[in-house]
């Protein structure tokens, strides 16, 4: 699949994640980031990486750009900044490198996602921001199990009403 097609798919998926309150753009000052999703609650920088062996270098460049842009924007931006590195190539990721990246707490939270031939929307659904299961009208198994545990023993009519409620509906 071409890089341009991947970026178009990413942008379409981000529109669903960010909803009407999100702005998706290429951000001046962050040439490493392919797209940036800005919402009132968080900013997420997305980078599509074609080859896994470039992951560490891309991460360091993107993080340095985020630090520069964050200091220039100051309080205009929310505190929750995220860097999402999407590895598109079919190569295997080095677990130690991935662990180093996601454990690094400097500047922002980091996520490394491996497409491994999967639909980009299904890979993005596991991110901790956005409407996770709403993208596919079903929650990931881990989320569904947690919700079931929380509501066990509650009034079934209340649960049914909550489940059928659409955000923003009166």
């Amino acid at each position: 699949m071409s890089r341009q097609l991947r970026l178009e798919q990413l942008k379409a998926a981000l529109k669903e994640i960010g909803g009407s309150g999100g702005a998706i753009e290429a951000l001046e000052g962050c040439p490493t980031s392919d797209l940036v999703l800005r919402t009132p609650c968080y900013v997420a920088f997305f980078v599509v990486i074609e080859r896994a062996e470039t992951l560490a270098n891309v991460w360091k460049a993107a993080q340095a750009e985020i630090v520069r842009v964050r200091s220039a924007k100051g309080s205009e931006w929310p505190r929750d900044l995220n860097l999402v590195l999407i590895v598109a190539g079919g190569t295997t990721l080095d677990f130690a490198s991935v662990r180093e990246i996601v454990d690094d707490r400097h500047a922002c939270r980091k996520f490394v996602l491996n497409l491994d031939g999967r639909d980009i929307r299904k890979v993005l659904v596991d991110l901790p921001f956005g409407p996770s299961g709403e993208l596919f009208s079903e929650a990931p198994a881990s989320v569904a199990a947690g919700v079931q545990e929380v509501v066990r023993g509650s009034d079934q009519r209340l649960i049914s009403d909550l489940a059928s409620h659409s955000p923003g509906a009166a």
Side-chain angles (χ1 to χ4, degrees), residues 35-55:
L35 292 170
V36 178
L37 171 60
R38 288 186 306 117
T39 74
C41 299
Y42 63 87
V43 177
F45 299 80
F46 291 83
V47 182
V48 176
I49 300 169
E50 296 299 325
R51 294 184 359 251
E53 55 272 5
T54 64
L55 180 62

Side-chain angles (χ1 to χ4, degrees), residues 117-135:
R118 296 176 292 165
D119 181 309
I120 199 160
R121 293 176 350 139
K122 291 187 179 184
V123 173
L124 294 177
V125 76
D126 289 329
L127 291 171
F129 48 86
S132 69
E134 292 177 19
L135 289 175

Side-chain angles (χ1 to χ4, degrees), residues 63-127:
Q63 181 167 270
E65 292 168 2
I66 291 169
V67 168
R68 280 193 303 274
V69 170
R70 173 69 188 263
S71 62
K73 297 288 183 184
S75 63
E76 293 176 33
W77 276 8
R79 293 186 62 182
D80 187 8
L81 299 180
N82 303 278
L83 173 58
V84 182
L85 303 161
I86 302 169
V87 180
T91 58
T92 304
L93 293 174
D94 174 45
F95 180 75
S97 296
V98 171
R99 187 86 262 154
E100 178 186 4
I101 292 168
V102 299
D103 285 348
D104 179 78
R105 299 292 174 224
H106 180 68
C108 61
R109 291 189 295 176
K110 288 108 181 145
F111 304 92
V112 178
L113 307 176
N114 190 0
L115 281 182
D116 198 26
R118 296 176 292 165
D119 181 309
I120 199 160
R121 293 176 350 139
K122 291 187 179 184
V123 173
L124 294 177
V125 76
D126 289 329
L127 291 171

Side-chain angles (χ1 to χ4, degrees), residues 147-162:
V147 170
Q148 289 172 358
E149 183 66 30
V150 168
V151 299
R152 184 173 294 145
S154 298
D155 181 337
Q156 289 303 310
R157 284 185 303 181
L158 174 63
I159 294 169
S160 178
D161 287 348
L162 290 172

